[in-house]
Amino acid sequence: MQNTHKSIVLRVLSLCLIGLLISGCEPNANKKTTVFKADPSLCNFQIGPCTKSVNDIDLDLSISPWNTPSEKPLTLNLTSSTRLENVKVRIEGRDMFMGIIPVNLTEIGKNSYQAPLIYGSCSSGYMVWQAVVSFEVNGIEKFTIFEFLADSDNET
């Protein structure tokens, strides 16, 4: 009698486990995919550099490839309309903390800088990064922020 009881319990547990495993393999018809509308205020590197003005100084930022894929090598370019001192760039998440990524700029021409860049991916499918650019002019520190979407697939 005791063996019969154990056998029934094992069969029930086995059926429950099989049911769980099978239900996990079925496509979920009720699963909703969130579609994010692109924010037009974000930089769109597909159409060209993103421009910010700080006290009559124009800064242009571009990243290639233009769709800024996560976990892939990127190239960041920064140009300015005037000579800057102590130029620094860091990348960080706008809406969530993803760490602070320092960018090692190399001056490649007059008022023109370039740096390699790579950042991680976000599971939400919509990750806005910001490039915080700081610099000095005549010993006075200034900064601006460029916001852009990672893994952008915008078509213009």
Side-chain angles (χ1 to χ4, degrees):
M1 188 84 124
Q2 193 175 17
N3 284 341
T4 306
H5 179 68
K6 283 183 183 179
S7 177
I8 292 172
V9 170
L10 284 174
R11 285 183 188 170
V12 169
L13 287 174
S14 296
L15 289 174
C16 288
L17 181 61
I18 290 170
L20 283 172
L21 291 174
I22 290 173
S23 68
C25 296
E26 291 180 26
N28 187 348
N30 297 327
K31 184 177 178 182
K32 293 182 180 179
T33 303
T34 304
V35 176
F36 296 100
K37 185 175 180 183
D39 181 347
S41 70
L42 299 177
C43 295
N44 182 347
F45 301 122
Q46 183 181 16
I47 60 175
C50 200
T51 301
K52 298 280 183 170
S53 291
V54 180
N55 296 88
D56 296 326
I57 299 169
D58 293 330
L59 297 167
D60 289 338
L61 179 86
S62 64
I63 298 178
S64 60
W66 68 265
N67 59 337
T68 60
S70 299
E71 299 178 337
K72 304 277 188 215
L74 306 169
T75 301
L76 179 143
N77 287 288
L78 178 70
T79 58
S80 66
S81 60
T82 189
R83 176 85 175 117
L84 305 177
E85 301 164 356
N86 200 22
V87 183
K88 296 178 187 170
V89 176
R90 72 177 188 268
I91 305 293
E92 55 191 43
R94 181 187 72 179
D95 303 318
M96 69 177 67
F97 183 73
M98 298 284 286
I100 296 173
I101 303 165
V103 177
N104 297 316
L105 294 171
T106 300
E107 192 166 4
I108 59 170
K110 183 180 179 186
N111 306 335
S112 184
Y113 306 87
Q114 190 173 74
L117 170 64
I118 192 167
Y119 49 73
S121 65
C122 175
S123 62
S124 77
Y126 190 85
M127 180 64 199
V128 177
W129 291 93
Q130 53 187 22
V132 180
V133 179
S134 64
F135 56 94
E136 292 178 10
V137 176
N138 299 324
I140 299 171
E141 186 174 20
K142 302 179 184 302
F143 79 96
T144 191
I145 297 173
F146 294 88
E147 295 179 338
F148 59 95
L149 182 63
D151 305 305
S152 175
D153 59 0
N154 292 338
E155 295 292 328
T156 57

PDB file of all heavy atoms in Angstrom, residues 80-116:
ATOM      1  N   SER A  80      34.979  71.201 -32.739  1.00  0.00           N
ATOM      2  CA  SER A  80      34.522  72.455 -32.137  1.00  0.00           C
ATOM      3  C   SER A  80      34.854  73.619 -33.055  1.00  0.00           C
ATOM      4  O   SER A  80      35.773  73.542 -33.875  1.00  0.00           O
ATOM      5  CB  SER A  80      35.172  72.658 -30.764  1.00  0.00           C
ATOM      6  OG  SER A  80      36.558  72.840 -30.901  1.00  0.00           O
ATOM      7  N   SER A  81      34.109  74.696 -32.875  1.00  0.00           N
ATOM      8  CA  SER A  81      34.306  75.882 -33.706  1.00  0.00           C
ATOM      9  C   SER A  81      35.461  76.747 -33.225  1.00  0.00           C
ATOM     10  O   SER A  81      35.866  77.677 -33.912  1.00  0.00           O
ATOM     11  CB  SER A  81      33.016  76.713 -33.740  1.00  0.00           C
ATOM     12  OG  SER A  81      32.670  77.131 -32.422  1.00  0.00           O
ATOM     13  N   THR A  82      36.007  76.434 -32.072  1.00  0.00           N
ATOM     14  CA  THR A  82      37.118  77.203 -31.519  1.00  0.00           C
ATOM     15  C   THR A  82      38.047  76.277 -30.741  1.00  0.00           C
ATOM     16  O   THR A  82      37.694  75.143 -30.428  1.00  0.00           O
ATOM     17  CB  THR A  82      36.599  78.343 -30.618  1.00  0.00           C
ATOM     18  OG1 THR A  82      37.682  79.196 -30.257  1.00  0.00           O
ATOM     19  CG2 THR A  82      35.960  77.811 -29.355  1.00  0.00           C
ATOM     20  N   ARG A  83      39.219  76.754 -30.444  1.00  0.00           N
ATOM     21  CA  ARG A  83      40.221  75.972 -29.696  1.00  0.00           C
ATOM     22  C   ARG A  83      39.712  75.727 -28.277  1.00  0.00           C
ATOM     23  O   ARG A  83      39.282  76.658 -27.593  1.00  0.00           O
ATOM     24  CB  ARG A  83      41.543  76.742 -29.671  1.00  0.00           C
ATOM     25  CG  ARG A  83      42.620  76.103 -28.854  1.00  0.00           C
ATOM     26  CD  ARG A  83      43.384  75.066 -29.666  1.00  0.00           C
ATOM     27  NE  ARG A  83      44.485  74.558 -28.882  1.00  0.00           N
ATOM     28  CZ  ARG A  83      44.598  73.294 -28.508  1.00  0.00           C
ATOM     29  NH1 ARG A  83      43.712  72.415 -28.891  1.00  0.00           N
ATOM     30  NH2 ARG A  83      45.617  72.902 -27.793  1.00  0.00           N
ATOM     31  N   LEU A  84      39.751  74.471 -27.862  1.00  0.00           N
ATOM     32  CA  LEU A  84      39.329  74.080 -26.523  1.00  0.00           C
ATOM     33  C   LEU A  84      40.524  73.560 -25.742  1.00  0.00           C
ATOM     34  O   LEU A  84      41.474  73.041 -26.315  1.00  0.00           O
ATOM     35  CB  LEU A  84      38.264  72.983 -26.597  1.00  0.00           C
ATOM     36  CG  LEU A  84      37.029  73.260 -27.432  1.00  0.00           C
ATOM     37  CD1 LEU A  84      36.122  72.036 -27.453  1.00  0.00           C
ATOM     38  CD2 LEU A  84      36.279  74.472 -26.914  1.00  0.00           C
ATOM     39  N   GLU A  85      40.438  73.667 -24.441  1.00  0.00           N
ATOM     40  CA  GLU A  85      41.469  73.126 -23.561  1.00  0.00           C
ATOM     41  C   GLU A  85      40.838  72.064 -22.668  1.00  0.00           C
ATOM     42  O   GLU A  85      39.666  72.139 -22.328  1.00  0.00           O
ATOM     43  CB  GLU A  85      42.059  74.249 -22.690  1.00  0.00           C
ATOM     44  CG  GLU A  85      42.668  75.386 -23.481  1.00  0.00           C
ATOM     45  CD  GLU A  85      42.873  76.644 -22.626  1.00  0.00           C
ATOM     46  OE1 GLU A  85      42.476  76.656 -21.437  1.00  0.00           O
ATOM     47  OE2 GLU A  85      43.400  77.617 -23.175  1.00  0.00           O
ATOM     48  N   ASN A  86      41.645  71.092 -22.291  1.00  0.00           N
ATOM     49  CA  ASN A  86      41.225  70.073 -21.322  1.00  0.00           C
ATOM     50  C   ASN A  86      39.880  69.424 -21.700  1.00  0.00           C
ATOM     51  O   ASN A  86      38.983  69.314 -20.869  1.00  0.00           O
ATOM     52  CB  ASN A  86      41.175  70.683 -19.912  1.00  0.00           C
ATOM     53  CG  ASN A  86      41.240  69.622 -18.839  1.00  0.00           C
ATOM     54  OD1 ASN A  86      41.707  68.512 -19.064  1.00  0.00           O
ATOM     55  ND2 ASN A  86      40.755  69.965 -17.661  1.00  0.00           N
ATOM     56  N   VAL A  87      39.773  68.981 -22.946  1.00  0.00           N
ATOM     57  CA  VAL A  87      38.533  68.373 -23.439  1.00  0.00           C
ATOM     58  C   VAL A  87      38.402  66.959 -22.880  1.00  0.00           C
ATOM     59  O   VAL A  87      39.341  66.163 -22.955  1.00  0.00           O
ATOM     60  CB  VAL A  87      38.517  68.317 -24.983  1.00  0.00           C
ATOM     61  CG1 VAL A  87      37.189  67.758 -25.478  1.00  0.00           C
ATOM     62  CG2 VAL A  87      38.784  69.677 -25.572  1.00  0.00           C
ATOM     63  N   LYS A  88      37.236  66.656 -22.331  1.00  0.00           N
ATOM     64  CA  LYS A  88      36.967  65.326 -21.786  1.00  0.00           C
ATOM     65  C   LYS A  88      35.572  64.890 -22.211  1.00  0.00           C
ATOM     66  O   LYS A  88      34.660  65.706 -22.321  1.00  0.00           O
ATOM     67  CB  LYS A  88      37.037  65.337 -20.260  1.00  0.00           C
ATOM     68  CG  LYS A  88      38.403  65.657 -19.701  1.00  0.00           C
ATOM     69  CD  LYS A  88      38.361  65.694 -18.201  1.00  0.00           C
ATOM     70  CE  LYS A  88      39.686  66.178 -17.643  1.00  0.00           C
ATOM     71  NZ  LYS A  88      39.588  66.434 -16.203  1.00  0.00           N
ATOM     72  N   VAL A  89      35.426  63.584 -22.423  1.00  0.00           N
ATOM     73  CA  VAL A  89      34.115  63.012 -22.738  1.00  0.00           C
ATOM     74  C   VAL A  89      33.934  61.765 -21.885  1.00  0.00           C
ATOM     75  O   VAL A  89      34.868  60.981 -21.711  1.00  0.00           O
ATOM     76  CB  VAL A  89      34.004  62.640 -24.237  1.00  0.00           C
ATOM     77  CG1 VAL A  89      32.673  61.954 -24.523  1.00  0.00           C
ATOM     78  CG2 VAL A  89      34.163  63.872 -25.113  1.00  0.00           C
ATOM     79  N   ARG A  90      32.737  61.603 -21.379  1.00  0.00           N
ATOM     80  CA  ARG A  90      32.363  60.357 -20.700  1.00  0.00           C
ATOM     81  C   ARG A  90      30.985  59.965 -21.187  1.00  0.00           C
ATOM     82  O   ARG A  90      30.162  60.809 -21.537  1.00  0.00           O
ATOM     83  CB  ARG A  90      32.427  60.499 -19.184  1.00  0.00           C
ATOM     84  CG  ARG A  90      31.336  61.328 -18.586  1.00  0.00           C
ATOM     85  CD  ARG A  90      31.414  61.362 -17.046  1.00  0.00           C
ATOM     86  NE  ARG A  90      30.268  61.997 -16.488  1.00  0.00           N
ATOM     87  CZ  ARG A  90      30.176  63.284 -16.192  1.00  0.00           C
ATOM     88  NH1 ARG A  90      31.199  64.086 -16.388  1.00  0.00           N
ATOM     89  NH2 ARG A  90      29.062  63.772 -15.672  1.00  0.00           N
ATOM     90  N   ILE A  91      30.738  58.673 -21.220  1.00  0.00           N
ATOM     91  CA  ILE A  91      29.447  58.131 -21.649  1.00  0.00           C
ATOM     92  C   ILE A  91      28.776  57.504 -20.435  1.00  0.00           C
ATOM     93  O   ILE A  91      29.420  56.783 -19.659  1.00  0.00           O
ATOM     94  CB  ILE A  91      29.639  57.056 -22.755  1.00  0.00           C
ATOM     95  CG1 ILE A  91      30.440  57.605 -23.931  1.00  0.00           C
ATOM     96  CG2 ILE A  91      28.296  56.498 -23.194  1.00  0.00           C
ATOM     97  CD1 ILE A  91      29.768  58.673 -24.737  1.00  0.00           C
ATOM     98  N   GLU A  92      27.491  57.778 -20.291  1.00  0.00           N
ATOM     99  CA  GLU A  92      26.736  57.182 -19.185  1.00  0.00           C
ATOM    100  C   GLU A  92      25.275  57.036 -19.594  1.00  0.00           C
ATOM    101  O   GLU A  92      24.812  57.697 -20.522  1.00  0.00           O
ATOM    102  CB  GLU A  92      26.866  58.030 -17.915  1.00  0.00           C
ATOM    103  CG  GLU A  92      26.482  59.460 -18.091  1.00  0.00           C
ATOM    104  CD  GLU A  92      26.873  60.347 -16.909  1.00  0.00           C
ATOM    105  OE1 GLU A  92      27.981  60.215 -16.384  1.00  0.00           O
ATOM    106  OE2 GLU A  92      26.025  61.186 -16.528  1.00  0.00           O
ATOM    107  N   GLY A  93      24.576  56.158 -18.909  1.00  0.00           N
ATOM    108  CA  GLY A  93      23.163  55.976 -19.182  1.00  0.00           C
ATOM    109  C   GLY A  93      22.372  57.190 -18.731  1.00  0.00           C
ATOM    110  O   GLY A  93      22.670  57.769 -17.695  1.00  0.00           O
ATOM    111  N   ARG A  94      21.364  57.562 -19.518  1.00  0.00           N
ATOM    112  CA  ARG A  94      20.528  58.704 -19.138  1.00  0.00           C
ATOM    113  C   ARG A  94      19.512  58.320 -18.079  1.00  0.00           C
ATOM    114  O   ARG A  94      19.320  59.045 -17.107  1.00  0.00           O
ATOM    115  CB  ARG A  94      19.805  59.266 -20.363  1.00  0.00           C
ATOM    116  CG  ARG A  94      18.938  60.488 -20.022  1.00  0.00           C
ATOM    117  CD  ARG A  94      18.104  60.941 -21.176  1.00  0.00           C
ATOM    118  NE  ARG A  94      17.007  59.986 -21.417  1.00  0.00           N
ATOM    119  CZ  ARG A  94      16.091  60.135 -22.355  1.00  0.00           C
ATOM    120  NH1 ARG A  94      16.131  61.169 -23.166  1.00  0.00           N
ATOM    121  NH2 ARG A  94      15.135  59.235 -22.517  1.00  0.00           N
ATOM    122  N   ASP A  95      18.835  57.182 -18.282  1.00  0.00           N
ATOM    123  CA  ASP A  95      17.720  56.807 -17.417  1.00  0.00           C
ATOM    124  C   ASP A  95      18.040  55.698 -16.425  1.00  0.00           C
ATOM    125  O   ASP A  95      17.236  55.411 -15.551  1.00  0.00           O
ATOM    126  CB  ASP A  95      16.526  56.366 -18.276  1.00  0.00           C
ATOM    127  CG  ASP A  95      16.106  57.460 -19.247  1.00  0.00           C
ATOM    128  OD1 ASP A  95      16.067  58.629 -18.839  1.00  0.00           O
ATOM    129  OD2 ASP A  95      15.833  57.139 -20.421  1.00  0.00           O
ATOM    130  N   MET A  96      19.175  55.063 -16.600  1.00  0.00           N
ATOM    131  CA  MET A  96      19.581  54.023 -15.659  1.00  0.00           C
ATOM    132  C   MET A  96      21.099  54.009 -15.561  1.00  0.00           C
ATOM    133  O   MET A  96      21.786  54.376 -16.508  1.00  0.00           O
ATOM    134  CB  MET A  96      19.054  52.646 -16.068  1.00  0.00           C
ATOM    135  CG  MET A  96      19.683  52.069 -17.314  1.00  0.00           C
ATOM    136  SD  MET A  96      19.085  50.416 -17.693  1.00  0.00           S
ATOM    137  CE  MET A  96      17.397  50.733 -18.092  1.00  0.00           C
ATOM    138  N   PHE A  97      21.590  53.612 -14.411  1.00  0.00           N
ATOM    139  CA  PHE A  97      23.032  53.586 -14.219  1.00  0.00           C
ATOM    140  C   PHE A  97      23.623  52.369 -14.913  1.00  0.00           C
ATOM    141  O   PHE A  97      23.260  51.235 -14.617  1.00  0.00           O
ATOM    142  CB  PHE A  97      23.387  53.565 -12.728  1.00  0.00           C
ATOM    143  CG  PHE A  97      24.863  53.617 -12.496  1.00  0.00           C
ATOM    144  CD1 PHE A  97      25.569  54.786 -12.714  1.00  0.00           C
ATOM    145  CD2 PHE A  97      25.558  52.499 -12.079  1.00  0.00           C
ATOM    146  CE1 PHE A  97      26.930  54.846 -12.519  1.00  0.00           C
ATOM    147  CE2 PHE A  97      26.923  52.544 -11.878  1.00  0.00           C
ATOM    148  CZ  PHE A  97      27.612  53.730 -12.095  1.00  0.00           C
ATOM    149  N   MET A  98      24.494  52.626 -15.869  1.00  0.00           N
ATOM    150  CA  MET A  98      25.180  51.570 -16.620  1.00  0.00           C
ATOM    151  C   MET A  98      26.690  51.720 -16.464  1.00  0.00           C
ATOM    152  O   MET A  98      27.450  51.215 -17.264  1.00  0.00           O
ATOM    153  CB  MET A  98      24.812  51.651 -18.100  1.00  0.00           C
ATOM    154  CG  MET A  98      23.346  51.449 -18.410  1.00  0.00           C
ATOM    155  SD  MET A  98      22.833  49.737 -18.304  1.00  0.00           S
ATOM    156  CE  MET A  98      23.562  49.063 -19.772  1.00  0.00           C
ATOM    157  N   GLY A  99      27.083  52.444 -15.436  1.00  0.00           N
ATOM    158  CA  GLY A  99      28.486  52.732 -15.234  1.00  0.00           C
ATOM    159  C   GLY A  99      28.849  54.038 -15.933  1.00  0.00           C
ATOM    160  O   GLY A  99      28.056  54.620 -16.656  1.00  0.00           O
ATOM    161  N   ILE A 100      30.066  54.493 -15.679  1.00  0.00           N
ATOM    162  CA  ILE A 100      30.583  55.694 -16.333  1.00  0.00           C
ATOM    163  C   ILE A 100      31.737  55.243 -17.210  1.00  0.00           C
ATOM    164  O   ILE A 100      32.697  54.643 -16.729  1.00  0.00           O
ATOM    165  CB  ILE A 100      31.029  56.744 -15.306  1.00  0.00           C
ATOM    166  CG1 ILE A 100      29.809  57.215 -14.505  1.00  0.00           C
ATOM    167  CG2 ILE A 100      31.712  57.917 -15.995  1.00  0.00           C
ATOM    168  CD1 ILE A 100      30.124  58.119 -13.343  1.00  0.00           C
ATOM    169  N   ILE A 101      31.614  55.524 -18.500  1.00  0.00           N
ATOM    170  CA  ILE A 101      32.614  55.067 -19.462  1.00  0.00           C
ATOM    171  C   ILE A 101      33.457  56.253 -19.893  1.00  0.00           C
ATOM    172  O   ILE A 101      32.969  57.143 -20.601  1.00  0.00           O
ATOM    173  CB  ILE A 101      31.926  54.424 -20.686  1.00  0.00           C
ATOM    174  CG1 ILE A 101      31.022  53.279 -20.228  1.00  0.00           C
ATOM    175  CG2 ILE A 101      32.967  53.967 -21.708  1.00  0.00           C
ATOM    176  CD1 ILE A 101      30.042  52.817 -21.275  1.00  0.00           C
ATOM    177  N   PRO A 102      34.726  56.289 -19.466  1.00  0.00           N
ATOM    178  CA  PRO A 102      35.589  57.387 -19.915  1.00  0.00           C
ATOM    179  C   PRO A 102      35.971  57.174 -21.380  1.00  0.00           C
ATOM    180  O   PRO A 102      36.127  56.047 -21.832  1.00  0.00           O
ATOM    181  CB  PRO A 102      36.810  57.290 -19.006  1.00  0.00           C
ATOM    182  CG  PRO A 102      36.838  55.870 -18.562  1.00  0.00           C
ATOM    183  CD  PRO A 102      35.410  55.376 -18.575  1.00  0.00           C
ATOM    184  N   VAL A 103      36.072  58.256 -22.110  1.00  0.00           N
ATOM    185  CA  VAL A 103      36.430  58.208 -23.522  1.00  0.00           C
ATOM    186  C   VAL A 103      37.794  58.856 -23.669  1.00  0.00           C
ATOM    187  O   VAL A 103      37.990  59.989 -23.239  1.00  0.00           O
ATOM    188  CB  VAL A 103      35.370  58.943 -24.381  1.00  0.00           C
ATOM    189  CG1 VAL A 103      35.768  58.955 -25.833  1.00  0.00           C
ATOM    190  CG2 VAL A 103      34.006  58.295 -24.197  1.00  0.00           C
ATOM    191  N   ASN A 104      38.743  58.135 -24.238  1.00  0.00           N
ATOM    192  CA  ASN A 104      40.109  58.638 -24.393  1.00  0.00           C
ATOM    193  C   ASN A 104      40.270  59.309 -25.751  1.00  0.00           C
ATOM    194  O   ASN A 104      40.543  58.656 -26.750  1.00  0.00           O
ATOM    195  CB  ASN A 104      41.121  57.500 -24.222  1.00  0.00           C
ATOM    196  CG  ASN A 104      41.069  56.918 -22.832  1.00  0.00           C
ATOM    197  OD1 ASN A 104      40.998  57.634 -21.846  1.00  0.00           O
ATOM    198  ND2 ASN A 104      41.054  55.597 -22.747  1.00  0.00           N
ATOM    199  N   LEU A 105      40.091  60.616 -25.757  1.00  0.00           N
ATOM    200  CA  LEU A 105      40.164  61.391 -26.993  1.00  0.00           C
ATOM    201  C   LEU A 105      41.597  61.558 -27.481  1.00  0.00           C
ATOM    202  O   LEU A 105      42.520  61.714 -26.688  1.00  0.00           O
ATOM    203  CB  LEU A 105      39.572  62.788 -26.776  1.00  0.00           C
ATOM    204  CG  LEU A 105      38.082  62.868 -26.479  1.00  0.00           C
ATOM    205  CD1 LEU A 105      37.708  64.282 -26.065  1.00  0.00           C
ATOM    206  CD2 LEU A 105      37.274  62.438 -27.677  1.00  0.00           C
ATOM    207  N   THR A 106      41.736  61.550 -28.801  1.00  0.00           N
ATOM    208  CA  THR A 106      43.002  61.864 -29.455  1.00  0.00           C
ATOM    209  C   THR A 106      42.724  63.036 -30.386  1.00  0.00           C
ATOM    210  O   THR A 106      41.757  63.008 -31.148  1.00  0.00           O
ATOM    211  CB  THR A 106      43.505  60.664 -30.285  1.00  0.00           C
ATOM    212  OG1 THR A 106      43.694  59.562 -29.407  1.00  0.00           O
ATOM    213  CG2 THR A 106      44.792  60.989 -30.991  1.00  0.00           C
ATOM    214  N   GLU A 107      43.557  64.071 -30.311  1.00  0.00           N
ATOM    215  CA  GLU A 107      43.386  65.203 -31.219  1.00  0.00           C
ATOM    216  C   GLU A 107      43.876  64.771 -32.597  1.00  0.00           C
ATOM    217  O   GLU A 107      45.020  64.373 -32.760  1.00  0.00           O
ATOM    218  CB  GLU A 107      44.158  66.420 -30.713  1.00  0.00           C
ATOM    219  CG  GLU A 107      43.795  67.681 -31.438  1.00  0.00           C
ATOM    220  CD  GLU A 107      44.293  68.939 -30.747  1.00  0.00           C
ATOM    221  OE1 GLU A 107      45.004  68.831 -29.723  1.00  0.00           O
ATOM    222  OE2 GLU A 107      43.977  70.030 -31.232  1.00  0.00           O
ATOM    223  N   ILE A 108      42.979  64.839 -33.583  1.00  0.00           N
ATOM    224  CA  ILE A 108      43.329  64.369 -34.930  1.00  0.00           C
ATOM    225  C   ILE A 108      43.459  65.513 -35.927  1.00  0.00           C
ATOM    226  O   ILE A 108      43.793  65.292 -37.089  1.00  0.00           O
ATOM    227  CB  ILE A 108      42.313  63.334 -35.455  1.00  0.00           C
ATOM    228  CG1 ILE A 108      40.904  63.924 -35.516  1.00  0.00           C
ATOM    229  CG2 ILE A 108      42.361  62.067 -34.628  1.00  0.00           C
ATOM    230  CD1 ILE A 108      39.901  63.051 -36.241  1.00  0.00           C
ATOM    231  N   GLY A 109      43.201  66.715 -35.482  1.00  0.00           N
ATOM    232  CA  GLY A 109      43.299  67.890 -36.340  1.00  0.00           C
ATOM    233  C   GLY A 109      42.956  69.117 -35.529  1.00  0.00           C
ATOM    234  O   GLY A 109      42.683  69.032 -34.333  1.00  0.00           O
ATOM    235  N   LYS A 110      42.949  70.258 -36.200  1.00  0.00           N
ATOM    236  CA  LYS A 110      42.614  71.498 -35.516  1.00  0.00           C
ATOM    237  C   LYS A 110      41.177  71.418 -35.010  1.00  0.00           C
ATOM    238  O   LYS A 110      40.242  71.265 -35.796  1.00  0.00           O
ATOM    239  CB  LYS A 110      42.782  72.688 -36.465  1.00  0.00           C
ATOM    240  CG  LYS A 110      42.523  74.007 -35.810  1.00  0.00           C
ATOM    241  CD  LYS A 110      42.709  75.154 -36.780  1.00  0.00           C
ATOM    242  CE  LYS A 110      42.398  76.457 -36.061  1.00  0.00           C
ATOM    243  NZ  LYS A 110      42.430  77.583 -36.969  1.00  0.00           N
ATOM    244  N   ASN A 111      41.011  71.491 -33.694  1.00  0.00           N
ATOM    245  CA  ASN A 111      39.701  71.459 -33.038  1.00  0.00           C
ATOM    246  C   ASN A 111      38.908  70.197 -33.359  1.00  0.00           C
ATOM    247  O   ASN A 111      37.677  70.212 -33.379  1.00  0.00           O
ATOM    248  CB  ASN A 111      38.876  72.691 -33.419  1.00  0.00           C
ATOM    249  CG  ASN A 111      39.599  73.989 -33.145  1.00  0.00           C
ATOM    250  OD1 ASN A 111      40.470  74.057 -32.295  1.00  0.00           O
ATOM    251  ND2 ASN A 111      39.254  75.013 -33.903  1.00  0.00           N
ATOM    252  N   SER A 112      39.601  69.102 -33.596  1.00  0.00           N
ATOM    253  CA  SER A 112      38.954  67.852 -33.970  1.00  0.00           C
ATOM    254  C   SER A 112      39.548  66.698 -33.160  1.00  0.00           C
ATOM    255  O   SER A 112      40.766  66.547 -33.086  1.00  0.00           O
ATOM    256  CB  SER A 112      39.148  67.620 -35.469  1.00  0.00           C
ATOM    257  OG  SER A 112      38.461  66.479 -35.882  1.00  0.00           O
ATOM    258  N   TYR A 113      38.657  65.883 -32.584  1.00  0.00           N
ATOM    259  CA  TYR A 113      39.070  64.791 -31.706  1.00  0.00           C
ATOM    260  C   TYR A 113      38.364  63.507 -32.116  1.00  0.00           C
ATOM    261  O   TYR A 113      37.268  63.533 -32.663  1.00  0.00           O
ATOM    262  CB  TYR A 113      38.715  65.114 -30.253  1.00  0.00           C
ATOM    263  CG  TYR A 113      39.253  66.433 -29.787  1.00  0.00           C
ATOM    264  CD1 TYR A 113      38.530  67.607 -29.986  1.00  0.00           C
ATOM    265  CD2 TYR A 113      40.489  66.522 -29.162  1.00  0.00           C
ATOM    266  CE1 TYR A 113      39.028  68.833 -29.572  1.00  0.00           C
ATOM    267  CE2 TYR A 113      40.993  67.744 -28.743  1.00  0.00           C
ATOM    268  CZ  TYR A 113      40.256  68.899 -28.952  1.00  0.00           C
ATOM    269  OH  TYR A 113      40.754  70.114 -28.546  1.00  0.00           O
ATOM    270  N   GLN A 114      38.999  62.388 -31.779  1.00  0.00           N
ATOM    271  CA  GLN A 114      38.423  61.087 -32.111  1.00  0.00           C
ATOM    272  C   GLN A 114      38.763  60.109 -30.995  1.00  0.00           C
ATOM    273  O   GLN A 114      39.791  60.238 -30.336  1.00  0.00           O
ATOM    274  CB  GLN A 114      38.986  60.588 -33.431  1.00  0.00           C
ATOM    275  CG  GLN A 114      38.273  59.368 -33.988  1.00  0.00           C
ATOM    276  CD  GLN A 114      38.781  59.043 -35.370  1.00  0.00           C
ATOM    277  OE1 GLN A 114      39.895  58.525 -35.500  1.00  0.00           O
ATOM    278  NE2 GLN A 114      37.991  59.352 -36.392  1.00  0.00           N
ATOM    279  N   ALA A 115      37.900  59.105 -30.816  1.00  0.00           N
ATOM    280  CA  ALA A 115      38.155  58.088 -29.799  1.00  0.00           C
ATOM    281  C   ALA A 115      37.387  56.817 -30.123  1.00  0.00           C
ATOM    282  O   ALA A 115      36.281  56.871 -30.662  1.00  0.00           O
ATOM    283  CB  ALA A 115      37.723  58.594 -28.429  1.00  0.00           C
ATOM    284  N   PRO A 116      37.976  55.666 -29.771  1.00  0.00           N
ATOM    285  CA  PRO A 116      37.220  54.410 -29.859  1.00  0.00           C
ATOM    286  C   PRO A 116      36.258  54.344 -28.671  1.00  0.00           C
ATOM    287  O   PRO A 116      36.490  54.949 -27.627  1.00  0.00           O
ATOM    288  CB  PRO A 116      38.307  53.342 -29.749  1.00  0.00           C
ATOM    289  CG  PRO A 116      39.393  53.996 -28.962  1.00  0.00           C
ATOM    290  CD  PRO A 116      39.342  55.461 -29.313  1.00  0.00           C
TER     291      PRO A 116
END
